[in-house]
């Protein structure tokens, strides 16, 4: 069911500082910031050849990454995103296996304009998993 690793996401307290570190210090190609108010984050993507790194900063009140950053003030790894060919088939299979899909169980639209779902980290060894339809 899982296809390639689409991205690894890091929550960061200061997106400008994180962009500077990846672009200037690490010498990576970084996209322009993209505000995603429906997800409560502003994101950029770092292209690293075989996958991408998503850098996320809270946007607005009640951002879903605010609590994470309160616990990890310097930032940290927030989720892994795997591609799946059919997100509805993947969801149905996971729910049948007892895995918990966050929210109302219906896919939202992610940063790449494609359907995404998130799986409960307690079901996957402490790691939040995002699924994105490929
Ligand atoms: Co993501």
């Amino acid at each position: 069911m899982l296809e390639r690793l689409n991205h690894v996401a890091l929550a960061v307290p200061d997106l400008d500082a994180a962009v500077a570190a990846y672009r200037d210090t690490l010498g990576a190609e970084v996209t322009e910031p993209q505000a995603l108010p429906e997800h409560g984050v502003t994101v950029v993507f770092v292209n690293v050849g075989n996958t991408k790194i998503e850098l996320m900063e809270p946007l607005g009140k009640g951002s879903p990454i605010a609590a994470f950053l309160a616990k990890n003030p310097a930032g940290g790894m927030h989720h892994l995103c795997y591609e799946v060919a059919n997100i509805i088939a993947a969801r149905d299979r996971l729910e049948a296996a007892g895995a918990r899909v966050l929210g109302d169980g219906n896919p939202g639209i992610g940063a790449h304009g494609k359907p995404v779902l998130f799986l409960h980290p307690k079901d996957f060894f402490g790691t939040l998993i995002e699924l994105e339809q490929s």
Side-chain angles (χ1 to χ4, degrees), residues 7 9 45 54 56 79 81 118 130:
H7 60 269
F45 285 92
E54 176 180 30
M56 311 184 296
H79 64 266
C81 177
F118 288 88
E130 178 180 17

Side-chain angles (χ1 to χ4, degrees), residues 84-95:
V84 295
N86 181 326
I87 201 157
I88 298 299
R91 177 198 66 192
D92 292 348
R93 173 177 164 160
L94 285 156
E95 286 185 335

